[in-house]
Amino acid sequence: MEKKSKLFLVLCLHRSGSSATAGVMHLLGIHMGDKLLQATKHNLKGHYENVDFVQLNQEILRSVRSTWNKPPSQEQIEKTKFSVAKIQAFIDKNKKPIWGLKDPRTLLTFELWKPYLEEAADITYVFVHRPFDASVQSLANRDRNTIGAANQILIPYLKNLYHYRHNFSLPPENIIDVCYVDFLNNPEPFVKKINEKVGNPPEYRLTEVETFLDKRLKTF
């Protein structure tokens, strides 16, 4: 029987510090994708998002006439006729012995992905937490939108994050929580947890991580 890969799946809101989290995962040897979204002025060090994964999530949302900023209900996602073959082909092409996936849209599409990812990998779920108001403010600033509009976009993400973290019966030993503010100030606990899961020494690349996490780049 083929040995399962190790997948680190990031579940996060937009503008929650997940790019910094995924960047650290990349530094610690987790393969985040062959082709990653390019950096932007709002994410100067990159998103660490697999382009094909993001595109598939967008296709799934379009299949139920939704978008990232007009999130669907879980009932809508359950009714999608989206091609399972496309999901399986993506996994077959992208899985590595130790790999990661990050895209905030996954909070909307997670239950569609879950059975196929579980078949291919032992999953560690990385939940990224940031005060909701901070994510809302950051999204409003980025998109030159109102606080009210940003709030409406992110509420379904927040509800799903809470649901999957607390009410969905994911195995506690397979969950790593990242509180963005604490993580910026002291990344060592997160680095140790990831290194333990990957099979690295506890302090592996801690100095490089501290250099990578530039607090001046935090956007609001």
Side-chain angles (χ1 to χ4, degrees):
M1 187 177 171
E2 186 183 354
K3 186 181 177 186
K4 279 190 174 183
S5 61
K6 287 184 183 179
L7 171 63
F8 293 79
L9 183 65
V10 179
L11 294 173
C12 57
L13 276 67
H14 296 274
R15 314 306 297 165
S16 63
S18 58
S19 295
T21 304
V24 169
M25 289 162 53
H26 166 77
L27 278 174
L28 299 178
I30 296 170
H31 190 277
M32 298 303 296
D34 291 321
K35 186 180 177 188
L36 299 176
L37 283 185
Q38 293 187 334
T40 65
K41 67 179 181 179
H42 299 288
N43 247 344
L44 292 174
K45 293 201 175 186
H47 298 77
Y48 297 92
E49 292 179 13
N50 182 314
V51 169
D52 293 338
F53 184 56
V54 173
Q55 286 177 346
L56 267 188
N57 274 330
Q58 288 172 330
E59 283 183 43
I60 292 167
L61 294 177
R62 279 198 298 271
S63 77
V64 293
R65 299 181 180 179
S66 300
T67 58
W68 75 269
N69 56 358
K70 290 183 181 172
S73 67
Q74 192 51 51
E75 291 73 27
Q76 286 173 282
I77 289 291
E78 286 169 4
K79 290 175 183 171
T80 181
K81 301 291 193 290
F82 190 77
S83 166
V84 168
K86 280 191 176 183
I87 289 175
Q88 197 61 62
F90 168 84
I91 293 171
D92 292 343
K93 180 183 173 188
N94 286 270
K95 75 175 177 181
K96 299 284 190 291
I98 299 173
W99 57 308
L101 291 172
K102 173 244 168 182
D103 172 17
R105 296 165 189 81
T106 314
L107 273 179
L108 308 176
T109 63
F110 171 56
E111 289 182 52
L112 194 58
W113 283 99
K114 184 174 180 280
Y116 306 104
L117 292 175
E118 283 181 337
E119 201 174 310
D122 290 322
I123 306 175
T124 295
Y125 298 95
V126 180
F127 285 90
V128 183
H129 308 274
R130 185 184 187 188
F132 184 63
D133 290 351
S135 291
V136 167
Q137 181 73 60
S138 181
L139 185 66
N141 287 354
R142 187 194 72 181
D143 295 346
R144 297 181 180 179
N145 213 337
T146 65
I147 292 292
N151 197 64
Q152 285 301 112
I153 291 168
L154 289 182
I155 281 173
Y157 289 87
L158 182 67
K159 286 180 176 176
N160 284 5
L161 183 83
Y162 188 90
H163 173 64
Y164 294 133
R165 175 61 186 84
H166 298 289
N167 301 329
F168 198 64
S169 301
L170 295 175
E173 65 275 13
N174 293 349
I175 291 174
I176 295 177
D177 288 303
V178 182
C179 296
Y180 179 50
V181 177
D182 297 341
F183 169 63
L184 271 186
N185 291 323
N186 179 24
E188 187 174 355
F190 177 70
V191 167
K192 283 185 171 179
K193 285 176 186 173
I194 292 290
N195 278 332
E196 181 185 359
K197 291 268 187 187
V198 170
N200 296 329
E203 308 288 328
Y204 176 71
R205 303 206 80 182
L206 178 59
T207 305
E208 288 92 331
V209 166
E210 290 169 341
T211 302
F212 172 78
L213 291 174
D214 186 345
K215 291 180 195 174
R216 291 170 299 177
L217 297 182
K218 186 167 74 166
T219 49
F220 293 96

